Amino acid sequence: MDNYRLDKVHKFEEFVDRRLKPDLVRAISERDKVFEQQKTFSDLRKNIENLQKNSVTSLRTLVNLGSEVYMQAEVPDTQHIFVDVGLGFHVEFTWSEALNYISLREEKLARQIEEYTHHIASIKAQIKMVCEGIRELLQLPAEATLQEPIF
Amino acid sequence: MEEGANGTVTPLASMFPADEAQKAAGRVQDAIAEKRRELDRVRGFAADNAALVNLVQKLPEELHHDVMVPFGKAAFFPGRLIHTNEFTVLLGEGYYAERTSKQTVEILRRRGKALETHVDSLKSIIEDLKTEASFFDKTASEAAEGLVEIREELSGEESDEGSSELGQKEDGPSISVEDKGKILNEDEEYDRLMSKLDELEKEELAAEAADNIEEETNEVDPDVVSDQSSFHQNLKDLEGSHSCMPPSHSERQASNEEFLRQTRQQPALVEKLNPGDFTIASSQKDKTSHGNDLLWNLKGPDIADKSPKLPALEENDHAGSSNNEVPIQPPKPKVDSLRAFTGSIIEHSPNLPINPREPSATSSKVPGSQSSKPLSRFRMQRK
């Protein structure tokens, strides 16, 4: 009987360590990636709005050639902008079209982030549940700290 | 086992349990894997750098290039590169410099060189770790086989004979502990220095001293069977008195390589090792894998090491011409060190190779590789 219980506890612990925790780590890193994308698109939106506000028609920038070596570049016509739409495709937009697309894209990214957050929360809940199961199996008293946070 | 003698016999397994040694070997393997990854990463940087050098060289060939100019991470403008011979290069710490294509290529080449030395040092570190791992493996297997280490206190004259025999037996099995190896290394270094000085001295004394040397060494030699050939060769060159460096150099080379194989060399050890090869550095650095990058910072210490000793050498030249005892000194410590590197117990190295039939004059400086340092210095001053 005791052996059986220990076996069970061991299996649960393994499940937490081998399955749930790596899942959690992966989900968090995925969400971070989406956060980053969101940031790039919000930056792009701000930049395009800036161009619009100042009605810039030509542009000079520095292009990074790699290893922090830069060269001057000139953009004769800023009306047309190529925006990354995913899978390596770039679509030629005008400013207003680009802004339109960006707002749609941002909405989608926000939804994705929401999803990932839910996912992460559910994994955390699962971990907690398995830990509670282990506690019950070992017949330890419930942790006092768990009850405390109820104000 | 050794009831009569005042020594101790410790099974190797009690000091280094086999599984522990294996664990250590595993850890070293992990370290090797990590270094390999780093090496790959640095190699990637080097490749990128080479590609960039190509690009920077080619760009000024045209007045402008049509490119997609990145605008943030997710967008591009169609545009072109202009001022193709003007580069802004990051120097570090947020400082940028305007450079031409040629100057930029120079900067990138220097960066490439730094990366190369990094690659080299990583390679040598990996080599070191490999030897370390093989050493741990060997220790593990030896511990598993049930080898024993025999230690014996050195006490008085009468124990000398017995222990020297014992020493021969112990030669193979026992393994030196790390810190002892370090001490030994210092000794060896010192001995090399001394032998170098003596050789130089000898060179100046030239032919008339050569006869004396031969007599002298014939007395000493017979017992040291293992080193006899190289020793003799050394002497022959001394007689010739034109170049006594090559033989001693090759010998040192041998002992170096032996040493590299035997000890698990931390970089610190390697650094210590190199200072020994001052004058012969040019040929030496080809052989030792990391000699190249280490040498430049070692040259300073070498000179510093050498200069204070030169006055003493000069003194010897005047007084020591008639003294035929000098040449014995260099080879003897070398015998000790060589022996130690074949894996003998270090505490015993002083009396291991000692020849019971040795003349009394030389026996006074036998007592130990550690004590040989102050003694020989004293001898130098006495002359």
Side-chain angles (χ1 to χ4, degrees):
Chain A
M1 182 60 201
D2 219 34
N3 246 350
Y4 169 78
R5 208 162 54 196
L6 281 180
D7 250 24
K8 206 83 179 163
V9 169
H10 190 70
K11 248 164 84 181
F12 281 178
E13 275 177 349
E14 205 153 78
F15 181 64
V16 170
D17 284 343
R18 297 262 168 88
R19 181 70 204 277
L20 293 178
K21 284 192 176 166
D23 271 2
L24 183 64
V25 170
R26 206 179 317 132
I28 288 175
S29 72
E30 292 284 323
R31 192 177 59 163
D32 285 350
K33 265 185 221 158
V34 182
F35 268 131
E36 210 163 291
Q37 268 191 316
Q38 197 187 31
K39 192 180 174 300
T40 39
F41 277 102
S42 77
D43 282 352
L44 185 60
R45 187 165 47 85
K46 268 180 218 150
N47 279 330
I48 292 175
E49 278 166 359
N50 246 337
L51 292 182
Q52 256 179 340
K53 208 163 56 188
N54 300 324
S55 54
V56 179
T57 52
S58 68
L59 190 71
R60 261 201 191 189
T61 62
L62 286 172
V63 180
N64 191 350
L65 301 175
S67 303
E68 305 298 312
V69 176
Y70 295 88
M71 182 179 266
Q72 293 178 52
E74 187 184 44
V75 180
D77 177 27
T78 55
Q79 294 304 314
H80 296 278
I81 185 168
F82 289 75
V83 181
D84 185 0
V85 295
L87 296 176
F89 288 101
H90 292 74
V91 177
E92 186 175 354
F93 286 128
T94 60
W95 286 349
S96 54
E97 281 168 346
L99 287 175
N100 210 0
Y101 168 77
I102 289 167
S103 65
L104 287 172
R105 185 73 189 259
E106 276 183 324
E107 228 172 79
K108 188 178 170 277
L109 288 174
R111 266 208 311 279
Q112 265 184 323
I113 286 170
E114 190 81 351
E115 255 172 55
Y116 275 118
T117 309
H118 276 300
H119 189 49
I120 288 166
S122 78
I123 292 175
K124 277 182 179 167
Q126 278 171 355
I127 290 176
K128 203 128 220 173
M129 205 188 75
V130 177
C131 285
E132 281 293 298
I134 292 171
R135 186 189 60 76
E136 257 182 52
L137 275 174
L138 292 176
Q139 289 169 326
L140 295 171
E143 284 170 54
T145 49
L146 278 178
Q147 269 81 31
E148 257 175 33
I150 305 161
F151 288 100
Chain B
M1 197 168 160
E2 302 281 332
E3 289 308 311
N6 46 357
T8 56
V9 178
T10 355
L12 204 62
S14 75
M15 281 190 295
F16 310 107
D19 54 337
E20 289 293 320
Q22 242 144 23
K23 233 184 263 173
R27 206 162 298 156
V28 175
Q29 290 292 352
D30 287 350
I32 290 176
E34 194 182 311
K35 288 288 171 196
R36 283 242 169 83
R37 275 198 294 280
E38 201 182 331
L39 184 64
D40 284 347
R41 208 168 49 91
V42 175
R43 280 215 175 113
F45 287 159
D48 285 353
N49 197 65
L52 187 62
V53 168
N54 257 337
L55 180 67
V56 168
Q57 273 174 331
K58 256 196 245 161
L59 279 176
E61 287 172 8
E62 305 252 357
L63 206 56
H64 53 77
H65 300 262
D66 287 334
V67 290
M68 296 298 281
V69 182
F71 187 68
K73 270 179 194 158
F76 294 93
F77 282 120
R80 57 187 192 180
L81 291 173
I82 50 169
H83 301 290
T84 50
N85 202 22
E86 288 174 23
F87 295 86
T88 308
V89 187
L90 177 72
L91 301 176
E93 300 293 319
Y95 286 93
Y96 290 86
E98 291 248 302
R99 311 302 278 166
T100 64
S101 164
K102 256 191 182 166
Q103 289 166 326
T104 308
V105 167
E106 276 168 28
I107 290 174
L108 292 174
R109 290 250 161 86
R110 284 197 288 277
R111 280 188 197 168
K113 259 188 204 128
L115 283 171
E116 263 169 41
T117 54
H118 195 168
V119 166
D120 285 346
S121 71
L122 275 175
K123 267 188 199 159
S124 64
I125 286 171
I126 286 174
E127 283 302 309
D128 290 353
L129 285 171
K130 268 188 196 161
T131 13
E132 201 172 326
S134 70
F135 169 77
F136 278 131
D137 279 339
K138 218 177 75 189
T139 310
S141 64
E142 278 175 354
E145 280 166 19
L147 284 170
V148 295
E149 174 171 321
I150 304 165
R151 294 189 187 215
E152 199 171 317
E153 293 298 320
L154 174 63
S155 63
E157 288 294 320
E158 74 282 358
S159 69
D160 264 17
E161 314 245 330
S163 65
S164 69
E165 286 171 23
L166 253 176
Q168 237 75 354
K169 268 190 271 172
E170 290 160 25
D171 241 76
S174 54
I175 280 166
S176 56
V177 203
E178 194 171 332
D179 50 336
K180 287 174 200 158
K182 271 180 194 165
I183 293 168
L184 200 98
N185 186 29
E186 280 167 15
D187 285 338
E188 191 196 30
E189 200 180 308
Y190 178 81
D191 292 338
R192 282 195 200 136
L193 209 67
M194 289 315 293
S195 64
K196 190 89 240 158
L197 286 176
D198 283 331
E199 277 162 13
L200 289 170
E201 193 182 336
K202 218 62 239 158
E203 225 178 332
E204 286 174 36
L205 291 180
E208 93 267 18
D211 297 339
N212 293 339
I213 302 161
E214 198 170 16
E215 290 168 21
E216 176 68 26
T217 46
N218 280 341
E219 286 177 0
V220 186
D221 249 359
D223 310 276
V224 196
V225 187
S226 62
D227 271 16
Q228 215 164 8
S229 59
S230 63
F231 198 94
H232 270 312
Q233 207 195 341
N234 213 344
L235 284 167
K236 258 167 221 157
D237 278 271
L238 280 174
E239 284 172 69
S241 80
H242 32 258
S243 68
C244 41
M245 284 174 197
S248 70
H249 174 216
S250 65
E251 193 184 356
R252 181 178 306 132
Q253 192 85 50
S255 71
N256 264 358
E257 279 162 9
E258 174 107 349
F259 170 67
L260 282 169
R261 257 185 284 114
Q262 291 279 344
T263 53
R264 342 113 289 275
Q265 333 106 312
Q266 295 90 345
L269 284 189
V270 180
E271 271 180 27
K272 270 186 199 160
L273 184 75
N274 271 332
D277 15 296
F278 17 82
T279 26
I280 339 101
S282 58
S283 58
Q284 176 90 354
K285 79 181 155 191
D286 299 335
K287 310 241 171 148
T288 54
S289 60
H290 27 13
N292 281 328
D293 47 319
L294 280 178
L295 208 77
W296 57 272
N297 55 15
L298 289 173
K299 253 170 193 155
D302 287 345
I303 296 158
D305 271 356
K306 219 176 167 183
S307 54
K309 256 136 206 162
L310 281 175
L313 181 77
E314 231 96 272
E315 282 176 19
N316 280 354
D317 287 345
H318 303 307
S321 57
S322 62
N323 199 338
N324 50 11
E325 204 180 290
V326 188
I328 318 158
Q329 200 192 339
K332 195 178 299 296
K334 237 179 246 171
V335 170
D336 281 355
S337 59
L338 272 177
R339 227 156 243 270
F341 287 131
T342 57
S344 70
I345 302 171
I346 282 115
E347 293 96 316
H348 288 248
S349 59
N351 62 352
L352 276 187
I354 286 161
N355 342 316
R357 283 165 284 161
E358 206 167 310
S360 60
T362 46
S363 69
S364 64
K365 53 180 189 256
V366 170
S369 53
Q370 273 94 334
S371 59
S372 78
K373 218 181 265 190
L375 250 180
S376 49
R377 212 173 260 155
F378 171 68
R379 265 159 34 81
M380 297 273 281
Q381 278 158 4
R382 199 181 50 182
K383 273 171 240 165

